[in-house]
Structure formats: C-alpha cells, structure tokens
Amino acid sequence: MAGMPMLILVRHGRSTANTAGVLAGWTPGVALDERGAAQAAALPGRLAGLPLAAAVTSPLQRCRETLAPLLAARPDLPLHPDDRIGECHYGDWSGRKLAELADEPLMNIVQQHPSAAAFPGGESMRAMHTRAVEAVRDWNARIEREHGADAVYLMCSHGDVIKAIVADALGLHLDLFQRISVEPCSVTAIRYTPTRPFVVRLGDTGDFAGLAPREETTGDRGGDAAVGGDAGAP
C-alpha cells in the first residue's frame, strides 16, 4: 500500500452550533464549546506518534481552534488554509435550527439523493464533493513532491466534507455518503496509492462513548443523517 502520502482527516471539535442544534455553514463566530476545546487539547497526544509533514485547514474559526493546541505543540508544522475544504455553503439554511429544517421538502433530497441537492442561495452537495476531492488530489501531489511518498499530512475540516472525501475513497456514489458518520474531533486516515485508496481508520474518537444509546437530539429524525455532522457523544 506504499507509494503516496497518508491523509489524516480531523473533524473540528464540538462547536457552539453543534450543541445549539444550528446548521452553521460559513456563519462567522462559531467557536468550539467547552467539550470541543477539551477535544482539541487532547489532539496533540492522540497524534503524537505521527510525523506530520503539514497541516491543511478549513479557514473557519472552529477548525483553526481545533488545530491551535497541535500547532502549539509542533511550532514547526506548516499550516495551509484552503477554502476548498471549508464547510458546505448552505446558503439560506445557514444559521437555522436543524429542527426547523427537518420539515423542509429539500431535507428528504439531502438525505436520500444528495447528489441532486442544492441549497437555496448556497451550493450543491455535488459541488462541495467535487471541490473537496480535488483539494485532496492536489494536496496529495504537493505533499508527495515536497516531502516524499511516505509522508503523512493532516486536514482539518467539517462533517459533510469529510464524509464526501471518505465516500470517494471507498468508491461510493455521493448518494450513499449519508451512511458515513464522523463525530467531532474524530480522526479518519486514508492511505492513497497510485491505483486506489485504503481507508485505514474511520471516525476514530479514541473511545466508545459515542456508541452508547442516547436520547434523541435536536433535529434528529431517527434514521436520518445529521446535516453538517452531529454533536457526538454527550
């Protein structure tokens, strides 16, 4: 499985929007909550064994805050913002409660046929998928060119973006990406090779608390996926 870089995908820690049940999108000022800050503080220890060549981040505040402890622990780690791995542009849905959006007719399309979903005043899920996968391809080539084929690098992004990247790596159509779950500050690892990717970790939080039964969360409709990503374990 050697031959190209290993990508470590980190979803940002739990945010104030996650706990409020709000679809944040690109809304400014969305920070990590107390649990999210603790998750970010634990990240350097969780990744201590990895020789990271570079970090790439969504420009949004919650991702930058997630990486702040890691960058403090590794002051020589170069950081590269990239809008292409920023959150989906949810347009008119941004800032709205997920409980309200659950009754929108578009939500059924988002859940069942996301490749056909386009957010009013925003972008389509297909466009989000395309830009994110193109970013990974570009960064794979750059990291290999600058750091060698065995390099490891990190991207800090958002739930739907990471799910789209994982779906591509698994060879899944975008319409199946809602079957993938990545909790806040979870780590997903994809080893790319010249012929195919290998997903070697998926949504790893380092514990199993998220598997315990929990009460219905705001905006949850049972079998539906949380748009933007859920708030994780309590």
Side-chain angles (χ1 to χ4, degrees):
M1 291 197 295
M4 290 180 69
M6 168 87 80
L7 170 60
I8 306 298
L9 288 163
V10 176
R11 184 183 166 200
H12 63 77
R14 196 173 75 176
S15 73
T16 54
N18 293 144
T19 47
V22 170
L23 188 61
W26 283 70
T27 305
V30 177
L32 298 183
D33 68 5
E34 185 176 352
R35 179 176 176 83
Q39 291 170 332
L43 192 60
R46 293 171 63 200
L47 300 179
L50 291 176
L52 297 175
V56 185
T57 186
S58 157
L60 296 176
Q61 179 180 340
R62 52 198 182 274
C63 287
R64 289 183 172 275
E65 289 182 354
T66 298
L67 289 186
L70 180 65
L71 296 172
R74 303 194 190 198
D76 295 330
L77 182 66
L79 179 66
H80 307 279
D82 192 328
D83 286 359
R84 294 176 297 174
I85 61 167
E87 182 61 285
C88 186
H89 291 275
Y90 295 115
D92 297 345
W93 279 26
S94 299
R96 292 181 61 188
K97 290 278 190 179
L98 288 165
E100 298 174 7
L101 296 171
D103 295 326
E104 293 278 354
L106 177 60
M107 183 60 83
N108 284 329
I109 306 302
V110 170
Q111 293 293 328
Q112 305 298 332
H113 191 18
S115 66
F119 296 97
E123 71 178 331
S124 67
M125 301 200 88
R126 188 174 63 255
M128 175 204 70
H129 172 267
T130 298
R131 63 172 163 84
V133 170
E134 285 181 351
V136 169
R137 297 290 190 271
D138 289 348
W139 279 103
N140 281 349
R142 176 173 172 177
I143 295 296
E144 181 176 7
R145 184 171 63 249
E146 296 180 359
H147 301 281
D150 294 326
V152 180
Y153 75 107
L154 178 148
M155 279 187 172
C156 186
S157 187
H158 307 267
D160 282 350
V161 176
I162 292 173
K163 287 161 57 177
I165 293 169
V166 171
D168 171 76
L170 291 172
L172 295 178
H173 193 280
L174 182 61
D175 285 343
L176 300 178
F177 99 128
Q178 297 289 27
R179 300 183 183 196
I180 299 166
S181 177
V182 289
E183 289 201 4
C185 223
S186 62
V187 174
T188 294
I190 304 173
R191 185 187 299 278
Y192 287 88
T193 79
T195 56
R196 57 183 169 175
F198 292 84
V199 178
V200 294
R201 293 287 188 280
L202 178 59
D204 190 339
T205 60
D207 65 63
F208 294 95
L211 301 182
R214 57 183 188 261
E215 294 181 5
E216 183 176 298
T217 56
T218 304
D220 182 19
R221 298 196 303 169
D224 282 352
V227 181
D230 66 19

